[in-house]
């Protein structure tokens, strides 16, 4: 049997640095989720306006980008995307009316624009979820990044990245429209509580769906490779999914 007829193996992920992965996850969650919520609560409790508290709580994600820039000593695509989102948030927040309700609506608009950016990235060489996956499915080491970059050559992997990008983009647009409508229906004080629930609830559901999709794609890929290996003269099998997402 010729070598060309053998299944093309999907490379396994390199050994992960557990400490590096744990620190990365702790910083990402702490600075992007926990710190902004605590900051908003502390500032409003001490008499700061809701508008100012919402604006200042956005400083923490900037710090997360700076920490990762110093840690990895390079500005990767994920950091550039994060900075773009932050700049977009700042610009949208500063224009127009500065009431709390207006800021909530503007925040929803940013989410909608983010969803549109996800969908727009489908026309780029690599969709946004490829870069998000590389950030969260690896430990951030050069070996982990190189492995993730190499997975792009597999058709199945590319299909999964694009499907994830579509789901995230559509979900954020729907979530944005929902929050805009609720901002006019609910009282401002109620919406301040409901808004983060919608934001992080949507994010949590998307994260769970993404992990399950990645796990299912790995299992499907392994099954197809096993079937091809058991079939004499079978054509090469391309990788079917993100082996480490």
């Amino acid at each position: 049997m010729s070598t060309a007829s053998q299944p093309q193996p999907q490379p396994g992920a390199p050994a992960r640095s557990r400490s590096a992965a744990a620190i990365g996850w702790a910083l990402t969650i702490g600075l992007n989720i926990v710190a902004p919520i605590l900051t908003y609560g502390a500032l409003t409790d001490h008499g700061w306006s809701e508008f100012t508290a919402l604006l200042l709580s956005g400083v923490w994600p900037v710090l997360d980008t700076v920490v990762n820039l110093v840690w990895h000593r390079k500005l990767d695509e994920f950091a550039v995307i994060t900075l773009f989102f932050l700049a977009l948030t700042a610009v949208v927040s500063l224009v127009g009316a500065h009431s709390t309700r207006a800021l909530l609506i503007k925040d929803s608009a940013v989410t909608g624009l983010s969803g549109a950016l996800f969908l727009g990235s489908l026309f780029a060489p690599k969709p946004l979820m490829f870069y998000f996956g590389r950030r969260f499915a690896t430990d951030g080491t050069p070996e982990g990044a190189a492995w993730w970059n190499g997975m792009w050559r597999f058709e199945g992997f590319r299909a999964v990245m694009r499907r994830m990008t579509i789901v995230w983009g559509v979900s954020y647009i729907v979530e944005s429209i929902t929050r805009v409508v609720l901002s006019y229906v609910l009282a401002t004080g109620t919406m301040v509580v409901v808004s983060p629930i919608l934001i992080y609830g949507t994010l949590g559901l998307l994260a769970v769906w993404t992990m399950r999709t990645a796990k299912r794609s790995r299992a499907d890929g392994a099954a197809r490779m096993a079937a091809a290996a058991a079939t004499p003269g079978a054509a090469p099998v391309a990788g079917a999914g993100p082996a480490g997402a």
Side-chain angles (χ1 to χ4, degrees), residues 92-144:
V92 172
S93 298
L94 292 175
V95 298
H98 286 179
S99 67
T100 303
R101 185 181 298 278
L103 184 59
L104 289 169
I105 294 173
K106 293 174 185 178
D107 189 41
S108 302
V110 170
T111 304
L113 290 172
S114 300
L117 183 61
F118 269 96
L119 297 180
S121 73
L122 294 168
F123 299 97
K126 294 182 178 68
L128 276 183
M129 282 307 295
F130 173 84
Y131 302 107
F132 280 71
R134 188 172 64 188
R135 174 67 180 273
F136 294 107
T138 72
D139 57 10
T141 60
E143 295 78 12

Side-chain angles (χ1 to χ4, degrees), residues 146-160:
W147 162 75
W148 186 263
N149 292 339
M151 291 295 294
W152 185 253
R153 70 183 185 271
F154 294 111
E155 180 183 355
F157 178 84
R158 297 194 298 270
V160 171

Side-chain angles (χ1 to χ4, degrees), residues 56-77:
L56 291 179
S57 64
V59 171
W60 293 107
V62 176
L63 179 58
D64 176 55
T65 300
V66 173
V67 169
N68 278 279
L69 177 59
V70 173
W71 187 3
H72 298 298
R73 298 182 180 179
K74 67 176 182 178
L75 190 66
D76 62 10
E77 294 87 351

Side-chain angles (χ1 to χ4, degrees), residues 38-56:
L38 294 179
T39 299
Y40 173 82
L43 291 177
T44 52
D45 288 344
H46 285 78
W48 291 68
S49 70
E50 292 177 337
F51 173 82
T52 304
L54 284 169
L55 204 58
L56 291 179

